[in-house]
Amino acid sequence: MWKFPSLLLLITILQISDFHLRRYASYDAYYLYEERNARRFIEIINEASAKDENKAQLAEWNYAANLTEENLRNKLLVLGEVAVRTKKRWMKLMSFQWKKFWDLDLKRQFKQYSVLGASALCREDLANYLKAVGEMEKIYSTNTICDFKDPTKCHLTMDKEIVDILKNSRNEPELKHIWTSWRNGIGPKVKGVFQNYVFLANKAARINKFANNAEMWLDRYEDYYIKLKFHSLWYQIQPLYFEIHAYTRYHLRKIYGNIVNERGPIPAHLLGNMWAQNWANVATDFLPFPNKPIADISENLRKQKYDAIKIFETAENFFISINMSTMLPSFWRNSILEKPIDREIICHGSAWDFADGKDFRIKMCTTITEENFVVAHHEMGHIEYYMQYKDQPFSFRSGANPGFHEAIGDMIALSVKSAKHLNELRLTEVNLSDQEAVLNSMFLMGMSKIVLLPFAYVVDQWRWAVFSGQITPENYNAKWWELRRSIQGIQPPSPRSEQDFDAASKYHVIADTPYIRYFVSFIIQFQFHKTLCLQSGEYNNNDPFKRLHLCDIYRKVKAGNLLKKMLALGSSRPWPEAMELLTGQREMDASALLEYFEPLYMWLRMENRKNRAFIGW
Ligand SMILES: *[C@@H]1O[C@H](CO)[C@@H](O)[C@H](O)[C@H]1NC(C)=O
Ligand SMILES: *[C@@H]1O[C@H](CO)[C@@H](O)[C@H](O)[C@H]1NC(C)=O
Ligand SMILES: *[C@@H]1O[C@H](CO)[C@@H](O)[C@H](O)[C@H]1NC(C)=O
Ligand SMILES: [Zn+2]
């Protein structure tokens, strides 16, 4: 586009008043000089920050991968030192008049650094803040509970026994025992620490010129109206959620009788997952077409001798097939892909960027299950993102927004979990011409994708209100359940009180990790998926064999190249631009998700009405 006339116009306007003219002249002389300095300064900052980030990540890794007092002490020490240096740089940085810079790229780099986060705290506060989060993580990560049938057996852990019981048991008292014990082991122990954490997080936010920590978190979305947008996205999805909720409740009632109220919220312990955030584990109990059973992917993985390495190699193979990055030798050397037997570690899966452009790792206690097969793709998606933006200046080495980062691996997993691809991997044998079998697969997908959305929304609505002071320690739990009930349609298996602190039973809540990113991710991953499917000729709504839920972009290099372009931007541009580059659209929009699940939605509507299942709660 020809830009000159607008510049001419600008100069004309500036010349209209003498005042502006003089201001412009001095601006020119002083700020251009300052910008030149700033450019040199930001290079130094980028380099120093990357080095410090590397040190901090190493110290954090050493603790997360070996939970000893010594490693915690060392981590706190290193993070403390890094924070002091970061703050020093920040003060210097803030002495620049960066908001007036003409060079937009430079200005954006300053903007990225201008939010300092917790490092803004004074030394003592920061130490207490890190200690609080560390303590909560340790309590969470080492929580064990007793077996229901054998109460002397008290070392059941989340990553092993608990997940299995939730998946396989249909014994209501046992599920209730597991559900309650897990919460007893965490909530009461962390409630005091959590309050202190909230206080310090807010203190840090205020030093950063935000009203509270929630505002600082949401700043990453660069949109004043973001909360309203989340709200309207939720309304876009709600009708679909109501149908899957009603269908599930109807069938759970057949299994558990009056424990499940015909018109009330669903008891949280009956959904096959500790937080009722993913219902896939119970989905096979009431498939739409039970005479078309779905292959047990976990079992097939084990039969085909998958181990942790082979699972990750399978994920890598998919990325390579679309011309994305191969994992580096150091990835295989340094990652922890299986739970070690000689020490305690934080098992919650995570992907790490050590900020030196070559050290990337995953830490995960992989078990050979369908769920972990998907999680492996999710975590590797983070690594691919890190690798694509590694050449950006350090200030831009993050996702376009946090939801983007979470969406990449999940989006790939949408292809991997398509019936077509699973058939190719010989993990399923779905007859693709058989609408009923295909709908069963889609139902399974819905039981993990659709139901996460209200959960993710609840988690952060609760925290935003905690940080803003609308929810206080006296009603932490009551408000938590109020939100769970009203948005998710879930209730606790037995009455809870303020002695309990059930929000803390979720890792991200005590680990100081925002959660709305998953809400964002679960919406935009379908937008991305749709675009890449269109681009590779795999999606055509008029062709029954090219519906969105059947699409697989395996080997579609063109799709991968397009995706890489977006990922390589890092956070150098506001996220709507990154999204536009890929999808041509600047807004988050659930319509791709609704398109994907449309056949399921139609079927559920019919079925629920046929069963006279109550909708809502
Ligand atoms: C865990 O950390 C301790 C130091 O606290 C160290 O002595 C030990 O060797 C580490 N274990 C492993 C397996 O790295
Ligand atoms: C694969 O990606 C690289 C850049 O990462 C590019 O140079 C190359 O052309 C791509 N290959 C194909 C077949 O598109
Ligand atoms: C696949 O499903 C179609 C439609 O239900 C059916 O006609 C066909 O026989 C099935 N193919 C196999 C191999 O079962
Ligand atoms: Zn993630």
Side-chain angles (χ1 to χ4, degrees):
M1 203 174 28
W2 179 240
K3 287 259 169 56
F4 194 65
S6 61
L7 185 62
L8 251 188
L9 183 66
L10 179 69
I11 292 172
T12 317
I13 293 168
L14 288 170
Q15 284 178 340
I16 290 172
S17 87
D18 198 41
F19 169 76
H20 275 115
L21 186 63
R22 262 186 286 120
R23 195 164 158 258
Y24 180 69
S26 64
Y27 195 101
D28 191 40
Y30 178 72
Y31 289 110
L32 286 186
Y33 173 71
E34 198 185 57
E35 278 200 49
R36 223 176 19 239
N37 280 343
R39 222 166 271 132
R40 274 198 298 271
F41 175 75
I42 207 78
E43 270 174 35
I44 296 167
I45 293 272
N46 277 328
E47 205 171 302
S49 304
K51 278 207 182 109
D52 270 343
E53 174 75 0
N54 178 265
K55 287 196 185 108
Q57 289 291 320
L58 283 170
E60 293 214 41
W61 172 275
N62 286 342
Y63 176 61
N66 182 3
L67 299 173
T68 67
E69 288 300 319
E70 188 187 345
N71 292 342
L72 178 60
R73 261 199 314 279
N74 183 53
K75 167 181 146 170
L76 296 181
L77 187 75
V78 172
L79 293 190
E81 287 169 1
V82 165
V84 169
R85 289 196 292 272
T86 307
K87 195 169 177 179
K88 252 190 209 148
R89 289 195 294 267
W90 177 70
M91 278 157 71
K92 183 110 188 275
L93 183 122
M94 295 304 270
S95 72
F96 283 86
Q97 303 286 317
W98 60 271
K99 286 186 181 156
K100 296 191 177 134
F101 288 172
W102 286 77
D103 178 341
L104 293 180
D105 185 79
L106 184 65
K107 185 169 164 182
R108 189 167 173 82
Q109 292 204 51
F110 271 76
K111 178 172 176 281
Q112 300 291 81
Y113 281 121
S114 70
V115 178
L116 181 56
S119 300
L121 290 167
C122 73
R123 218 181 172 125
E124 196 190 335
D125 282 344
L126 179 67
N128 287 332
Y129 169 83
L130 294 172
K131 218 170 100 204
V133 176
E135 267 173 42
M136 291 192 288
E137 281 188 354
K138 173 120 193 210
I139 290 168
Y140 185 99
S141 296
T142 55
N143 188 29
T144 58
I145 66 176
C146 301
D147 193 55
F148 178 66
K149 288 164 206 138
D150 178 3
T152 61
K153 214 176 109 195
C154 283
H155 51 259
L156 273 56
T157 63
M158 177 58 82
D159 317 282
K160 278 210 180 121
E161 298 89 352
I162 299 178
V163 171
D164 281 349
I165 295 169
L166 288 171
K167 178 171 184 207
N168 299 318
S169 171
R170 299 293 179 265
N171 178 358
E172 194 271 336
E174 178 176 29
L175 292 170
K176 192 159 155 183
H177 162 81
I178 298 281
W179 191 96
T180 314
S181 312
W182 176 254
R183 284 161 176 77
N184 288 347
I186 303 172
K189 288 188 197 160
V190 303
K191 189 166 175 183
V193 188
F194 187 82
Q195 287 171 53
N196 194 26
Y197 151 77
V198 169
F199 173 78
L200 292 167
N202 275 338
K203 194 167 177 183
R206 280 193 299 271
I207 302 174
N208 284 280
K209 304 239 176 348
F210 293 100
N212 58 58
N213 194 46
E215 299 300 316
M216 186 154 81
W217 277 0
L218 288 168
D219 183 58
R220 291 284 277 110
Y221 293 91
E222 302 184 73
D223 181 349
Y224 183 77
Y225 296 106
I226 197 69
K227 277 195 198 168
L228 282 175
K229 292 196 180 151
F230 294 149
H231 196 65
S232 65
L233 285 168
W234 168 233
Y235 273 100
Q236 214 184 341
I237 306 147
Q238 211 181 32
L240 175 59
Y241 181 67
F242 277 173
E243 297 297 334
I244 206 164
H245 178 280
Y247 177 82
T248 301
R249 179 178 50 197
Y250 174 83
H251 283 280
L252 286 176
R253 205 172 137 78
K254 287 193 165 175
I255 301 172
Y256 296 103
N258 280 336
I259 290 166
V260 181
N261 190 312
E262 195 181 351
R263 295 171 173 232
I266 302 175
H269 60 311
L270 306 178
L271 291 158
N273 172 279
M274 186 57 90
W275 309 276
Q277 69 176 66
N278 182 334
W279 305 351
N281 282 338
V282 296
T284 41
D285 292 2
F286 37 86
L287 288 174
F289 299 96
N291 56 340
K292 305 268 166 73
I294 297 185
D296 183 338
I297 294 177
S298 303
E299 197 185 306
N300 286 343
L301 286 166
R302 288 190 287 265
K303 265 194 203 145
Q304 289 189 38
K305 302 270 185 291
Y306 273 80
D307 56 13
I309 301 284
K310 189 169 171 195
I311 284 181
F312 279 93
E313 281 173 351
T314 307
E316 184 193 29
N317 173 276
F318 196 103
F319 283 107
I320 294 174
S321 88
I322 56 170
N323 196 25
M324 293 185 63
S325 307
T326 309
M327 295 297 113
L328 301 172
S330 59
F331 170 87
W332 297 108
R333 209 166 46 240
N334 295 330
S335 289
I336 296 177
L337 303 179
E338 276 170 296
K339 184 171 182 156
I341 45 169
D342 56 348
R343 62 201 135 125
E344 287 190 289
I345 77 167
I346 295 179
C347 265
H348 193 95
S350 51
W352 298 59
D353 179 355
F354 290 83
D356 62 358
K358 45 184 197 276
D359 193 352
F360 308 100
R361 309 179 193 174
I362 286 173
K363 177 180 60 52
M364 182 173 152
C365 300
T366 316
T367 52
I368 313 309
T369 60
E370 176 177 2
E371 192 182 349
N372 273 236
F373 184 67
V374 174
V375 174
H377 288 81
H378 172 91
E379 300 301 344
M380 200 171 275
H382 286 305
I383 303 283
E384 291 283 342
Y385 212 153
Y386 298 149
M387 292 176 85
Q388 289 307 323
Y389 61 55
K390 72 180 170 52
D391 297 322
Q392 287 283 351
F394 182 74
S395 48
F396 292 151
R397 279 186 230 159
S398 56
N401 73 36
F404 276 56
H405 230 302
E406 301 302 337
I408 304 311
D410 275 23
M411 177 202 62
I412 295 300
L414 288 179
S415 281
V416 175
K417 286 199 70 179
S418 68
K420 183 171 156 233
H421 195 82
L422 287 176
N423 282 352
E424 276 172 27
L425 291 174
R426 293 181 298 116
L427 292 171
T428 55
E429 286 172 14
V430 179
N431 178 349
L432 295 178
S433 319
D434 185 341
Q435 297 305 317
E436 298 183 348
V438 170
L439 200 89
N440 274 348
S441 304
M442 188 187 294
F443 174 65
L444 204 56
M445 202 67 162
M447 290 289 270
S448 65
K449 294 292 178 185
I450 300 166
V451 307
L452 178 100
L453 289 155
F455 174 75
Y457 196 31
V458 164
V459 171
D460 271 6
Q461 278 208 45
W462 182 82
R463 274 193 296 185
W464 295 333
V466 165
F467 286 126
S468 75
Q470 283 165 284
I471 293 179
T472 59
E474 293 74 49
N475 60 14
Y476 271 175
N477 220 31
K479 292 287 178 188
W480 170 254
W481 283 108
E482 212 175 285
L483 285 167
R484 290 267 266 170
R485 198 165 282 150
S486 75
I487 295 176
Q488 229 190 330
I490 297 291
Q491 67 183 18
S494 49
R496 309 296 285 167
S497 76
E498 295 303 329
Q499 313 294 35
D500 308 307
F501 178 25
D502 294 325
S505 78
K506 180 69 195 162
Y507 176 76
H508 300 69
V509 172
I510 55 88
D512 188 30
T513 309
Y515 208 75
I516 199 69
R517 58 183 59 173
Y518 299 100
F519 178 87
V520 170
S521 158
F522 276 52
I523 288 168
I524 63 180
Q525 62 186 250
F526 286 92
Q527 277 177 279
F528 298 167
H529 183 62
K530 179 180 165 186
T531 299
L532 296 185
C533 290
L534 274 172
Q535 290 291 330
S536 34
E538 290 297 302
Y539 175 39
N540 175 352
N541 218 3
N542 297 323
D543 179 343
F545 290 98
K546 293 214 163 167
R547 302 290 294 269
L548 195 50
H549 57 279
L550 298 173
C551 163
D552 169 19
I553 60 166
Y554 189 60
R555 296 209 175 103
K556 303 296 176 200
V557 170
K558 198 174 152 201
N561 287 342
L562 188 60
L563 178 61
K564 276 200 294 194
K565 253 198 216 159
M566 178 178 83
L567 302 188
L569 284 179
S571 56
S572 64
R573 311 295 312 149
W575 67 261
E577 274 182 48
M579 176 173 275
E580 190 174 17
L581 183 73
L582 186 72
T583 67
Q585 198 178 356
R586 292 178 66 91
E587 298 278 345
M588 295 185 271
D589 175 7
S591 55
L593 180 147
L594 297 178
E595 233 165 284
Y596 182 101
F597 286 113
E598 202 215 27
L600 178 65
Y601 179 65
M602 301 311 265
W603 186 85
L604 286 172
R605 275 181 61 95
M606 253 175 39
E607 184 70 10
N608 283 332
R609 276 138 201 85
K610 201 179 87 202
N611 293 334
R612 297 177 192 281
F614 185 71
I615 308 287
W617 48 85

